[in-house]
């Protein structure tokens, strides 16, 4: 896609993302766990921040927003449903709305489950999912229930398979360790776990990941699979119930 995307590690295991439109000079950041790494990444490239896109209200995604807003005057964008616990918004969005970064448009998706009011930003070819759909995993259900999260994941799973999924944390190795306990005979998963280990050993991020790879290896997206259901002892069970059981097992892992 036309936007240049830069992964910015923050804190111990968070990711923020810079999105730059060379044609207009617009630059957005998705989530601000910490202002300093984002400020450094902007300075290194000579970019000026124009937009701050927030996915949800947790502190490790918004702690640096006020600081960057004060320094840059960037437009702060987030969910109307979450506005009461987000930094002050210049633009409040709902499911189905769109937001522009330079010449590129993102569709806003309600992906509640981890929190209520969690949104994702879906650009052509890339979706910023934070703590909803994650690499080899999904976020804990702190506010929503399993049915709500399953609906959100299903919406994301329906995006084009070549879509790159930019999630909010470097949790992939830990997620893989769990995934093999519920999907031990999946050769694509075994290969991915090895690839993740190699990437981390080399100091490389494991995000973004291609949606097609998530569909093949992420147990939380495989609740529809008859073989997965049978392995879980839930043959014929509704997809949302199978997802709920996988999430329960991950919480206890």
């Amino acid at each position: 896609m036309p936007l240049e995307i830069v992964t910015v590690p923050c804190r111990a295991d968070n990711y923020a993302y810079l999105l730059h439109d060379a044609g207009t000079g617009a630059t957005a950041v998705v989530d601000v766990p910490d202002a300093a790494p984002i400020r450094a990444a902007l300075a290194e490239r000579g970019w000026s921040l124009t937009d701050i896109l927030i996915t949800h209200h947790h502190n490790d995604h918004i702690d640096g927003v006020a600081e960057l807003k004060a320094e840059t005057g960037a437009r702060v964008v987030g969910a109307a449903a979450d506005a009461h616990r987000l930094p002050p918004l210049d633009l409040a969005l709902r499911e189905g709305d769109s937001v522009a970064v330079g010449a590129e448009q993102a569709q806003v998706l309600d992906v509640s489950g981890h929190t209520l009011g969690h949104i994702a930003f879906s650009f052509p070819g890339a979706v910023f999912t934070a703590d909803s759909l994650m690499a080899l995993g999904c976020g804990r259900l702190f506010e929503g229930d399993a049915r709500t999260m399953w609906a959100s994941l299903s919406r994301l799973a329906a995006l084009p398979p070549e879509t790159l999924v930019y999630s909010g944390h470097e949790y992939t190795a830990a997620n893989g360790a769990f995934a093999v306990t519920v999907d031990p005979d999946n050769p694509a998963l075994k290969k991915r776990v090895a690839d993740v280990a190699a990437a981390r050993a080399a100091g490389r991020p494991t995000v973004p990941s291609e949606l097609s790879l998530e569909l093949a290896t992420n147990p939380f997206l495989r609740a529809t699979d008859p073989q997965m259901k049978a392995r879980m002892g839930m043959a014929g069970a509704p997809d949302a119930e199978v997802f709920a059981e996988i999430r329960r097992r991950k919480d206890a892992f």
Side-chain angles (χ1 to χ4, degrees):
M1 66 187 242
L3 291 175
E4 181 179 350
I5 301 173
V6 176
T7 300
V8 184
C10 298
R11 298 192 174 202
D13 55 27
N14 277 80
Y15 288 124
Y17 299 99
L18 292 180
L19 288 59
H20 180 69
D21 179 22
T24 64
T27 304
V29 63
V30 179
D31 289 341
V32 188
D34 182 9
I38 295 162
R39 186 188 302 114
L42 290 164
E44 181 182 339
R45 292 162 179 82
W47 295 347
S48 297
L49 191 67
T50 54
D51 299 281
I52 298 170
L53 309 183
I54 304 172
T55 60
H56 66 295
H57 70 88
H58 283 162
N59 286 343
D60 63 333
H61 292 260
I62 65 170
D63 265 1
V65 170
E67 191 174 334
L68 283 185
K69 170 71 172 179
E71 292 174 0
T72 66
R75 177 180 62 163
V76 179
V77 178
D82 224 9
H84 60 291
R85 51 189 183 175
L86 292 174
L89 299 178
D90 299 307
L91 178 61
L93 299 170
R94 293 172 172 81
E95 163 80 26
D97 286 347
S98 61
V99 60
V101 176
E104 288 296 306
Q105 292 278 338
Q107 299 301 307
V108 176
L109 305 178
D110 180 347
V111 291
S112 292
H114 177 65
T115 65
L116 298 177
H118 193 312
I119 57 175
F121 297 93
S122 180
F123 291 86
V127 61
F128 296 85
T129 57
D131 296 358
S132 54
L133 176 59
M134 307 181 83
L136 273 178
C138 74
R140 286 180 179 268
L141 306 184
F142 288 125
E143 296 174 10
D145 58 19
R147 189 169 297 277
T148 299
M149 181 63 112
W150 177 246
S152 295
L153 294 180
S154 298
R155 185 176 299 117
L156 292 166
L159 293 172
E162 66 275 12
T163 302
L164 292 176
V165 179
Y166 290 83
S167 51
H169 291 272
E170 186 54 67
Y171 290 168
T172 319
N175 288 341
F178 166 74
V180 297
T181 69
V182 292
D183 199 10
D185 303 320
N186 183 339
L189 175 58
K190 292 177 182 177
K191 180 181 185 302
R192 187 174 184 189
V193 167
D195 290 345
V196 166
R200 295 310 295 153
R204 298 194 307 272
T206 62
V207 294
S209 55
E210 197 164 278
L211 180 58
S212 59
L213 184 61
E214 297 303 328
L215 292 168
T217 60
N218 187 328
F220 296 102
L221 295 185
R222 288 171 50 70
T224 59
D225 186 270
Q227 290 183 324
M228 173 71 87
K229 291 183 180 189
R231 194 177 298 114
M232 302 281 293
M234 301 182 71
D239 299 342
E241 291 183 14
V242 178
F243 165 77
E245 175 61 15
I246 297 171
R247 185 64 254 180
R248 185 195 67 76
R249 294 190 188 190
K250 176 64 165 67
D251 290 343
F253 182 68

